[in-house]
Amino acid sequence: MKKLFIKTYGCQMNVYDSARMADLLAPLGYAPGSGPDDADMVILNTCHIREKAAEKVYSELGRLRQLKLARAAQGKPMLIAVAGCVAQAEGEEILARQPAVDVVVGPQSYHRLPQMLAEISRGAGHVLETEFPAEEKFDNLPGDGAVTGPAAFLTVQEGCDKFCTFCVVPYTRGAEFSRPAAQIIEEAQRLARAGVRELTLLGQNVNAYCGEGPDGSDWSLARLIYRLAEIDGIARLRFTTSHPRDMREDLIAAFGELPQLMPYLHLPVQSGSDRVLEAMNRKHSADDYRELVARIRSRRADLALSSDFIVGFPGEDDADFEATLALVRDVGYAQAYSFKYSPRPGTPASVAHRQVPEDVKKARLEHLQNLLSTQQEAFNASCLGKSFPVLFEKPGRKPQQGVGRSPYLQPVHVDGAARLIGQVRSVRICEVLPNSLRGELVDASVAEVSP
Ligand code: SAH
Ligand code: SF4
Ligand code: F3S
């Protein structure tokens, strides 16, 4: 067997794609290896969202080039492939900056990897593939790979038509495309048969999902979720990432009606200033977002929220930033990601006047992150003494310990739970640690609880 090492950057969709690439290359004799050192092929599955993410790829490629030369000296070849959003955005430029790269393949073209490797073995030199629609990708990627645990990702939608003025995704992932429901149901059934209990449905704009249903009508994300909840063995469902504009009534209602749908929602708002939201082309106001959150919480009082924020968007002044802090205080987040605005080539905001100086961005980020950490700590502390269902995913560091996830995605350690992997059990939280919770089984003797 040849060894394959895939290093994944960026979002969960890249994690899903990396697993599909591994599945695709298995029949060609590639088995997953543990690192780049002894790999016959290394794939960097890259992210272009911020400058830092993209630049990391080139430093990693520099290191891989050294490894490739060292291996060549021992008569062993090593193929280097760049996949993902940097591949899509920069294409040929990657080959020019790092000639040790053999393959450049965009996110819509992974199913072409075997042919591309065949071309290389016929002496083609570099190969590059960044065309092809997402439709073809999902029809041709194997969905029958190894399952790595009771929680799995399933991409249902790809691409974005929103064109937020700061964002590269519409350019790297292309137009919105929803997979047909039947294809998704089949993949979910297979995962359930292999022991998967929790599915996280993925899409850059997952709640914009509008796929062909088995009856020929268009299915919304809610409709798909209700159908997936019927599959034997699927105890929990999640979806990410959602856009506030696409939060439809049927999806909001599902939070109140469907116990399998976890009461945790990643709903990025980016900013709390109407002026900035407009310049970002988000097409909703801060109050629209507040009202939306209130509507979802009216269906599901224990809903916890997470978000993404950008500070230092061009033109953002102190009052705009204060408005973001005010929104954070009003909503209250269990968890959140926040970033300094990073100008991305080809996006409208990157050429806007009034770019915010780096030191101002840095100070605002620190301020916002302090507030968000305080909220996260308060949320975790509020879990003390409560009982909720935990899906046990893997053994812990201590003997017999099991680690699972709460409905709110917090890791929960429970002594004596190693035998419960793959099961959902009621757990009482007895300690709040910096990055996790510790709990005890509510009743070690009872059978599985419903979610
Ligand atoms: N589809 C998702 C976001 C995908 S990108 C959505 O609409 O919310 C993930 C996050 O990266 C974004 O939510 C945003 O907060 C951040 N991001 C995107 N482009 C950025 C940029 N140019 N600079 C800084 N952060 C950025
Ligand atoms: Fe990017 Fe906006 Fe699309 Fe999200 S909705 S992927 S932030 S363009
Ligand atoms: Fe990054 Fe592409 Fe995902 S830019 S965040 S890997 S869609």
Side-chain angles (χ1 to χ4, degrees):
M1 285 299 260
K2 289 178 279 190
K3 290 230 168 88
L4 170 68
F5 179 66
I6 307 183
K7 184 160 181 178
T8 307
Y9 303 82
C11 62
Q12 290 153 332
M13 310 205 42
N14 265 8
V15 175
Y16 177 87
D17 283 345
S18 289
R20 298 290 78 72
M21 284 192 271
D23 298 344
L24 189 69
L25 294 173
L28 277 69
Y30 285 98
S34 52
D37 295 10
D38 61 345
D40 298 279
M41 176 163 176
V42 177
I43 302 177
L44 300 185
N45 196 6
T46 62
C47 175
H48 201 246
I49 202 83
R50 285 168 291 275
E51 191 182 353
K52 249 197 209 142
E55 280 307 310
K56 255 190 234 161
V57 172
Y58 287 100
S59 42
E60 186 63 30
L61 285 175
R63 282 191 288 276
L64 289 177
R65 176 176 173 269
Q66 297 302 325
L67 274 181
K68 183 173 180 154
L69 290 173
R71 276 178 66 95
Q74 300 164 14
K76 291 189 283 189
M78 173 174 152
L79 288 174
I80 302 177
V82 179
C85 291
V86 176
Q88 189 64 40
E90 299 188 0
E92 296 277 356
E93 199 185 321
I94 298 172
L95 298 172
R97 270 181 78 172
Q98 184 47 270
V101 172
D102 303 282
V103 176
V104 174
V105 60
Q108 271 70 257
S109 313
Y110 296 147
H111 54 288
R112 294 253 309 135
L113 265 169
Q115 283 128 289
M116 295 171 80
L117 296 184
E119 282 170 41
I120 289 186
S121 67
R122 286 197 300 270
H126 307 300
V127 287
L128 178 135
E129 191 66 77
T130 51
E131 296 303 325
F132 293 94
E135 195 165 356
E136 217 173 293
K137 162 180 172 175
F138 290 110
D139 288 345
N140 292 290
L141 278 181
D144 58 355
V147 163
T148 49
F153 291 142
L154 205 178
T155 296
V156 301
Q157 180 277 337
E158 190 156 6
C160 182
D161 298 338
K162 298 283 189 299
F163 290 92
C164 300
T165 54
F166 52 82
C167 184
V168 291
V169 170
Y171 312 97
T172 60
R173 293 276 172 166
E176 272 175 21
F177 168 76
S178 295
R179 296 176 68 185
Q183 207 183 62
I184 297 165
I185 295 164
E186 204 176 297
E187 191 166 325
Q189 285 166 333
R190 189 192 62 78
L191 290 167
R193 281 195 300 272
V196 168
R197 313 298 319 276
E198 174 180 304
L199 289 175
T200 301
L201 310 183
L202 299 180
Q204 268 93 18
N205 259 294
V206 74
N207 58 344
Y209 177 85
C210 178
E212 189 195 334
D215 52 1
S217 71
D218 283 346
W219 276 28
S220 65
L221 184 66
R223 182 124 190 233
L224 179 68
I225 286 175
Y226 279 95
R227 175 64 187 87
L228 296 176
E230 289 170 6
I231 295 175
D232 260 356
I234 297 300
R236 294 176 153 199
L237 288 156
R238 305 176 185 276
F239 57 91
T240 198
T241 296
S242 297
H243 195 295
R245 268 164 60 200
D246 291 320
M247 224 44 222
R248 290 177 33 173
E249 186 50 39
D250 59 348
L251 192 56
I252 295 173
F255 279 102
E257 289 170 3
L258 196 65
Q260 289 94 329
L261 186 58
M262 291 292 99
Y264 183 77
L265 177 65
H266 184 59
L267 192 65
V269 67
Q270 314 298 352
S271 168
S273 152
D274 289 343
R275 228 170 46 84
V276 172
L277 285 168
E278 191 175 350
M280 285 176 163
N281 193 31
R282 295 290 291 184
K283 297 211 168 83
H284 66 77
S285 68
D287 280 346
D288 292 339
Y289 184 87
R290 285 182 177 89
E291 281 158 27
L292 175 60
V293 166
R295 269 171 62 210
I296 312 168
R297 280 183 168 151
S298 74
R299 303 300 179 96
R300 183 93 201 218
D302 62 340
L303 183 90
L305 282 160
S306 144
S307 178
D308 296 339
F309 295 92
I310 295 178
V311 299
F313 184 82
E316 183 189 74
D317 62 20
D318 287 340
D320 295 316
F321 179 61
E322 280 303 324
T324 298
L325 298 175
L327 181 112
V328 171
R329 284 189 205 104
D330 288 348
V331 172
Y333 290 97
Q335 201 267 341
Y337 302 94
S338 44
F339 312 99
K340 285 186 279 184
Y341 169 69
S342 169
R344 307 306 294 128
T347 60
S350 67
V351 291
H353 301 299
R354 299 183 55 211
Q355 296 286 331
V356 174
E358 187 57 30
D359 56 335
V360 176
K361 285 187 198 171
K362 191 165 169 258
R364 285 183 188 160
L365 185 67
E366 232 178 83
H367 194 142
L368 175 62
Q369 289 187 336
N370 283 338
L371 174 60
L372 291 167
S373 311
T374 309
Q375 290 194 341
Q376 182 168 8
E377 282 159 25
F379 178 76
N380 289 341
S382 76
C383 294
L384 192 66
K386 285 192 188 150
S387 299
F388 40 64
V390 167
L391 169 60
F392 287 98
E393 293 185 9
K394 57 185 185 200
R397 257 173 280 167
K398 288 197 234 153
Q400 304 310 314
Q401 195 182 53
V403 188
R405 296 264 183 187
S406 75
Y408 315 110
L409 282 180
Q410 298 139 303
V412 184
H413 306 260
V414 178
D415 289 338
R419 66 201 159 85
L420 299 176
I421 288 164
Q423 294 186 28
V424 179
R425 289 295 187 94
S426 187
V427 170
R428 186 181 312 106
I429 302 306
C430 46
E431 192 180 356
V432 177
L433 302 160
N435 299 306
S436 62
L437 305 173
R438 197 173 64 76
E440 286 164 354
L441 294 175
V442 168
D443 184 347
S445 63
V446 293
E448 196 152 315
V449 296
S450 64

